[in-house]
Amino acid sequence: MVRLLGRSRTRSTPRPEGPRERTGRAAILRSALSGRSVAGQVFLLQVVIVLLLVVSAVVALVLQVRHDSTQEARNRSLAVAETFANSPGTREALSSADPTAALQTRAEAARRASGVDFIVVMNTDGIRYTHPKPDRIGKNFVGNISPAQQGRTSVEEINGTIGRLVQAVVPVKEPDGKVVGLVSAGITTANMGGVANRQLPIVLAAAAAALALATAGTALVSRRLLRQTRGLGPYEMTRMYEHHDAVLHAVREGVIIAGGEGRLLLANDEAQRLLDLPHDAEGRHVLDLGLDPDTAALLSSGRVVTDEVHLVGDRLLAINQRPTDLQGGPPGSVATLRDSTELRALSGRAEVARERLKLLYDIGVGIGTSLDVTRTAEALAEVAVPRFADFVTVDLADSVLHGEDPEAGTDVRRTAFSGIRDNAPLYPVGEHIRFVATSPQAHSLRTGEAVVEPELDEAPGWLAQDLRRTTKVVEYGIHSLITVPLRVGPLAMGVVNFWRSEKPEPFDEEELALAEELVARAAVSIDNARRYTREHNMAVTLQRSLLPRSLPAQSALDIAYRYLPAQAGVGGDWFDVLPLSGARVAVVVGDVVGHGLHAAATMGRLRTAVHNFSSLDLPPDEILGLLDELVARIDLDEATEESSAAITGATCLYAIYDPASRLCTVARAGHPPPSLVRPDGSVEFPDVPAGPPLGLGGLPFDTAELKLEEGSRLVLYTDGLVEDRDRDIDAGLELLRTTLTATGRRSPEDTCRAVLDALLPARPSDDIALIVADTRVLDADHIAEWEVPSDPVAVGEIRAAVTRQLAEWDLDVLAFSTELILSELVTNALRYGSGPIQVRMLRDHSLICEVFDGSSTSPRLRYAAGTDEGGRGLFLVAQVAERWGTRYTPAGKVIWAEQPLP
């Protein structure tokens, strides 16, 4: 401070400079540069440093140049030797009658062009064929050629006849790898140098410039010291100290200087006021001034502190202390005292405001991430503890938890709890609560107003809720409550309760306003979750209503299935099992891309279409073709509606299994391939042609026919099982293969469970449909077949054979109706069809009669008039049989009829 005041005084009142002063200043400058002054010593030190830097730079330069020269010599000699050894004609010249005549001229030309000192070609024994000095041709090569004789390249540094050099030896090899000669190229390191000689003058010039700058810097420093110390007489010094004293006692910050032995040397007016020092404090020991022990110990210790806060009386003082002997001064310490009472109070209020804003921000960010009502309520409770309250409970109406609009009343269910401890005697989570009319919660639900209860032990309305429980709550230490209704518009979904136990102060009006803001922000997220829950439940209900509730009776496949809707929203995955004629079964799985009600509704339309198309007994590729046309027509019909989304992207897999022939026919439209588990436990994914997704059109669908052994297992699924955000489809298929291999011969139900345990993601982003079907085979003794000759007399023979077979099956009761059915069907085949004609009878869960013929003409049921002589055959078949129909084969058609077993 003294120095600053003195410098200010000197600059503000400059005096004119006379000749004597200029002469004196020059003498001082010469003295400074002579080395007897500090400036001179600085100058000498700078010279020594510059010289050291110059020497270091020269040494480093020489070492670097030597290293770079050697490295360059190695690289150049190796490159030249390898180039010459592999150049055209070198290997042939070594095999010639006179290698020297063929190679000497080329070697010298290459040496001059590349800048190396020599290129020597030699045989495998090291006898030179070429050399820059012809008198050395035919002599042994000087150097290590062993690596090159073994087919390896070597580089070495040696002292040769021309000085220190680096040479490389490279083998010349035949195509089969045999070494037929050696090539060496070398260069002296002296020829690679010269960089240091060119850069050394630059370094020396830089050193000279540095010395000049050091001299100029020392002169400037000496001149500045001269300017700051000359011309100050007693009067100026007196005024300087007067200014210092005035500033010391007028500053609004306490200053205390203590000696090395702990005695008070100086205390300005502000320090005496803040510490309430006695008038004779200066000269006394700090510990004897009546200060509080902590402050007195700090001031007497002399330790370094920065803004250490001490309570002195009713004031908060921020103390900074530093020693005075850091720069060679006298021992002791100087401390500054700053009154921070008002600042602390203001900063405390600002900190509280900042924490509240941060809490509001965290509420807005943290609780809107989930669309689950319960999880959103739990997030609200977790964020508010312990930053705002010690315990937080959220009570919601049951209808809100199910996505419905809340009903008027005070019945709620405890949905979320969070607290600094878990043993609080509050209602547990899941408890159904009916608040009494006098409770603050009931008041909030009725009026929509928040209520603060500062002292719970003096709140009779709250105590009346459950006297035994409320008494335990008070005894536990919970003493204050804020109840805020969860409202969105006129709907009161529940209440949020903030409980305080740790802080002795009750909740106040400012905290009530903050609680209302917290709950208002959370109410929007809870209402969004409630609405989403309602929409999700509606979509799931619609989707489940469109899926099969139970599988139809059939004996071809032993089937287990699973359907799991996505967590984020229902999709369009579906499946079905459809019994067909001839004891066959169709299994179908499909997927409509997208989520929501539109996808679920579209899935229902496709499933209905599959039901209708399957009744036509068409092969899988034709079924997919009809579905493709249907989807394209649906998209075309809805193209003009802005709210309707195209369903292009729907996939489907359709498989038909025949237990009589063990043949499984499969076709797929953009769907993942089925998985086949053989009876020996091996797992494969059959090569089923992958058609385009439904709705694209233009491309036909192909089928694959799989001959399955008895006990084989078919696994059909949608892509949600094997594909996820964190797993591509190839990894999912491999995991499915591993899981199916590990399941062995478990039942289809156990296999479904094992597959889902292994592949199901934590939060599925897509629907999952899974079907596991074990194949069965219709026993040969349950099948009867006959060839029918093209003769009407054969009808009687067929009736007799059928009667005998029914007797063997203990089905004599069906003899009459079966004879009638086959008589009419065989007669129609003989009269209107073409050969060959076959009859097959199957005993399954029903009795199936089938007549095969080579015609593609389908019979039509009609009602004959009273005067007609014919036309009643199919009418009789339809009356006797439970079901009948026609299906087409590549060789013709089949007319079939089923009768229930007795």
Side-chain angles (χ1 to χ4, degrees):
M1 189 178 296
V2 173
R3 184 178 299 173
L4 291 175
L5 290 174
R7 179 163 48 183
S8 176
R9 173 62 177 172
T10 302
R11 291 182 177 178
S12 61
T13 57
R15 296 190 303 170
E17 188 180 84
R20 181 178 299 175
E21 291 178 343
R22 287 195 297 271
T23 302
R25 189 173 64 184
I28 293 175
L29 182 58
R30 287 194 298 272
S31 175
L33 297 179
S34 66
R36 293 190 298 269
S37 65
V38 175
Q41 294 174 0
V42 171
F43 171 72
L44 292 178
L45 180 60
Q46 289 178 336
V47 171
V48 172
I49 292 174
V50 171
L51 290 176
L52 288 175
L53 291 176
V54 171
V55 173
S56 300
V58 171
V59 172
L61 177 62
V62 171
L63 293 177
Q64 183 63 37
V65 168
R66 178 176 298 176
H67 175 270
D68 293 343
S69 299
T70 303
Q71 188 63 35
E72 176 62 21
R74 295 172 68 92
N75 294 338
R76 186 183 298 184
S77 61
L78 179 61
V80 171
E82 288 181 340
T83 302
F84 193 86
N86 296 312
S87 63
T90 301
R91 187 175 67 250
E92 291 79 5
L94 287 170
S95 304
S96 65
D98 190 359
T100 300
L103 294 173
Q104 175 69 9
T105 303
R106 289 177 53 201
E108 286 301 296
R111 179 184 63 81
R112 288 190 293 272
S114 60
V116 298
D117 289 319
F118 66 86
I119 296 179
V120 174
V121 183
M122 68 197 88
N123 62 14
T124 55
D125 295 328
I127 305 300
R128 300 189 183 101
Y129 289 147
T130 68
H131 196 278
K133 297 180 179 181
D135 60 334
R136 298 184 182 180
I137 296 176
K139 297 182 180 181
N140 288 327
F141 176 78
V142 179
N144 182 16
I145 62 174
S146 298
Q149 290 173 334
Q150 299 175 6
R152 301 194 306 273
T153 298
S154 65
V155 181
E156 61 179 351
E157 296 181 36
I158 65 171
N159 291 317
T161 57
I162 59 175
R164 185 69 177 176
L165 57 85
V166 177
Q167 65 182 10
V169 183
V170 178
V172 179
K173 301 179 181 180
E174 291 287 352
D176 59 355
K178 179 182 179 182
V179 178
V180 298
L182 309 174
V183 175
S184 175
I187 184 172
T188 58
T189 56
N191 290 340
M192 297 302 297
V195 179
N197 297 332
R198 294 191 297 272
Q199 294 184 352
L200 189 58
I202 299 175
V203 175
L204 295 177
L211 284 173
L213 290 175
T215 304
T218 303
L220 290 175
V221 170
S222 300
R223 183 178 179 182
R224 186 163 186 174
L225 289 174
L226 180 65
R227 182 186 302 168
Q228 291 182 351
T229 57
R230 286 185 62 104
L232 285 178
Y235 176 72
E236 288 81 2
M237 293 295 293
T238 301
R239 289 197 60 185
M240 183 181 65
Y241 280 106
E242 288 175 351
H243 292 166
H244 164 265
D245 190 65
V247 172
L248 181 64
H249 292 283
V251 70
R252 294 290 296 173
E253 189 171 275
V255 178
I256 288 182
I257 300 177
E261 69 281 0
R263 294 188 178 277
L264 181 64
L265 302 180
L266 174 67
N268 68 348
D269 296 344
E270 185 68 8
Q272 292 182 3
R273 183 184 69 84
L274 294 176
L275 298 177
D276 193 19
L277 297 176
H279 65 280
D280 58 347
E282 293 185 0
R284 296 171 58 183
H285 200 281
V286 175
L287 298 177
D288 299 333
L289 299 179
L291 302 176
D292 66 278
D294 290 340
T295 306
L298 172 62
L299 296 177
S300 63
S301 67
R303 62 185 175 89
V304 178
V305 296
T306 300
D307 287 338
E308 185 172 302
V309 179
H310 286 255
L311 179 62
V312 179
D314 58 348
R315 315 298 294 177
L316 286 174
L317 301 184
I319 302 177
N320 292 273
Q321 185 167 266
R322 296 291 185 274
T324 58
D325 56 356
L326 293 178
Q327 302 296 331
S333 62
V334 58
T336 60
L337 315 174
R338 185 174 65 254
D339 189 356
S340 60
T341 305
E342 291 79 6
L343 181 61
R344 287 278 172 164
L346 181 60
S347 63
R349 290 193 294 270
E351 181 66 19
V352 171
R354 189 190 69 81
E355 283 295 328
R356 291 180 176 180
L357 288 176
K358 181 67 166 52
L359 179 59
L360 290 174
Y361 172 79
D362 291 344
I363 284 286
V365 172
I367 69 172
T369 58
S370 173
L371 289 175
D372 181 79
V373 175
T374 301
R375 183 68 196 100
T376 304
E378 291 173 348
L380 167 62
E382 291 168 359
V383 170
V385 174
R387 298 163 63 181
F388 179 70
D390 298 323
F391 301 94
V392 176
T393 57
V394 181
D395 305 325
L396 297 176
D398 284 335
S399 56
V400 173
L401 297 174
H402 296 94
E404 305 298 331
D405 291 340
E407 301 175 355
T410 60
D411 289 2
V412 294
R413 188 173 298 278
R414 180 130 300 172
T415 307
F417 166 84
S418 181
I420 57 176
R421 292 181 296 274
D422 296 332
N423 58 348
L426 300 170
Y427 286 114
V429 173
E431 182 86 5
H432 181 270
I433 306 171
R434 174 173 293 179
F435 291 113
V436 298
T438 59
S439 65
Q441 291 86 351
H443 177 80
S444 294
L445 289 172
R446 283 195 312 269
T447 64
E449 299 175 352
V451 177
V452 57
E453 291 287 355
E455 301 293 340
L456 288 179
D457 56 352
E458 299 178 1
W462 175 78
L463 292 171
Q465 170 66 33
D466 183 346
L467 188 58
R468 183 178 179 181
R469 184 177 294 275
T470 54
T471 302
K472 290 182 178 180
V473 170
V474 173
E475 292 175 351
Y476 186 77
I478 298 177
H479 60 81
S480 189
L481 165 68
I482 291 179
T483 295
V484 184
L486 270 164
R487 297 181 63 87
V488 175
L491 299 178
M493 299 179 291
V495 292
V496 181
N497 306 295
F498 301 92
W499 313 83
R500 173 170 289 177
S501 65
E502 294 296 309
K503 294 182 180 180
E505 302 85 4
F507 285 117
D508 54 24
E509 293 299 326
E510 291 186 3
E511 291 169 322
L512 175 63
L514 175 60
E516 290 179 318
E517 181 66 23
L518 289 175
V519 175
R521 297 192 180 197
V524 176
S525 298
I526 291 179
D527 186 59
N528 289 339
R530 178 187 68 84
R531 294 173 181 271
Y532 171 80
T533 301
R534 180 180 59 190
E535 298 297 330
H536 182 75
N537 290 341
M538 291 173 58
V540 170
T541 301
L542 172 62
Q543 189 175 36
R544 290 193 180 278
S545 67
L546 297 175
L547 290 172
R549 299 185 179 182
S550 60
L551 298 182
Q554 50 82 31
S555 57
L557 297 172
D558 182 13
I559 293 178
Y561 65 93
R562 291 289 189 279
Y563 171 76
L564 298 175
Q567 294 290 336
V570 295
D573 290 15
W574 55 284
F575 67 93
D576 220 330
V577 178
L578 307 169
L580 303 178
S581 63
R584 298 171 306 137
V585 177
V587 183
V588 56
V589 291
D591 183 7
V592 177
V593 176
H595 295 86
L597 293 175
H598 180 76
T602 303
M603 175 270 291
R605 298 171 74 174
L606 293 181
R607 180 170 177 260
T608 302
V610 169
H611 268 266
N612 294 331
F613 294 151
S614 66
S615 65
L616 301 176
D617 249 336
L618 299 175
D621 56 335
E622 294 187 26
I623 293 286
L624 294 183
L626 293 174
L627 286 177
D628 182 62
E629 294 179 4
L630 174 64
V631 172
R633 191 160 55 249
I634 292 174
D635 284 343
L636 183 63
D637 294 341
E638 296 184 352
T640 57
E641 301 182 18
E642 296 181 358
S643 60
S644 298
I647 60 175
T648 302
T651 66
C652 183
L653 186 147
Y654 195 94
I656 297 177
Y657 175 68
D658 186 353
S661 63
R662 296 186 287 109
L663 191 64
C664 182
T665 308
V666 187
R668 62 188 178 111
H671 202 82
S675 177
L676 175 61
V677 184
R678 298 289 184 181
D680 60 0
S682 62
V683 180
E684 62 181 87
F685 294 94
D687 186 14
V688 179
L694 300 176
L696 296 182
L699 294 175
F701 298 96
D702 296 327
T703 60
E705 293 186 349
L706 310 176
K707 195 74 171 182
L708 305 182
E709 299 90 340
E710 184 177 4
S712 298
R713 174 171 291 172
L714 279 173
V715 180
L716 310 181
Y717 50 89
T718 55
D719 58 357
L721 179 69
V722 295
E723 190 174 16
D724 194 58
R725 296 186 184 95
D726 303 324
R727 181 178 63 203
D728 59 27
I729 190 169
D730 291 334
L733 291 176
E734 187 59 33
L735 182 57
L736 177 61
R737 181 199 302 272
T738 303
T739 305
L740 292 176
T741 303
T743 55
R745 300 310 302 168
R746 298 184 190 177
S747 66
E749 191 69 28
D750 292 339
T751 302
C752 278
R753 189 178 304 109
V755 168
L756 291 181
D757 291 343
L759 279 82
L760 185 65
R763 288 186 58 82
S765 58
D766 195 5
D767 292 9
I768 294 175
L770 172 65
I771 295 179
V772 177
D774 283 357
T775 61
R776 297 172 179 170
V777 176
L778 195 62
D779 293 338
D781 57 357
H782 286 193
I783 303 174
E785 295 180 312
W786 300 276
E787 294 287 340
V788 180
S790 298
D791 186 353
V793 178
V795 177
E797 297 175 354
I798 293 296
R799 284 199 301 267
V802 167
T803 301
R804 290 192 298 270
Q805 186 64 52
L806 291 177
E808 293 180 8
W809 287 346
D810 295 329
L811 296 177
D812 301 273
V813 68
L814 297 178
F816 174 77
S817 58
T818 304
E819 289 181 6
L820 175 61
I821 291 173
L822 288 178
S823 295
E824 295 298 333
L825 296 182
V826 172
T827 300
N828 282 341
L830 291 172
R831 180 177 298 179
Y832 304 109
S834 60
I837 301 174
Q838 294 178 329
V839 173
R840 186 172 73 169
M841 193 163 56
L842 306 176
R843 180 185 178 184
D844 193 31
H845 61 280
S846 61
L847 182 64
I848 305 171
C849 299
E850 297 177 333
V851 178
F852 299 78
D853 70 78
S855 171
S856 60
T857 303
S858 175
R860 179 173 58 88
L861 176 65
R862 66 186 182 90
Y863 298 95
T867 58
D868 292 342
E869 294 183 1
R872 297 176 178 83
L874 288 181
F875 176 78
L876 293 175
V877 171
Q879 296 298 314
V880 174
E882 183 181 41
R883 293 194 312 153
W884 75 280
T886 304
R887 72 173 182 270
Y888 295 92
T889 66
K893 69 175 182 295
V894 179
I895 304 177
W896 56 270
E898 291 186 6
Q899 303 176 77
L901 296 178

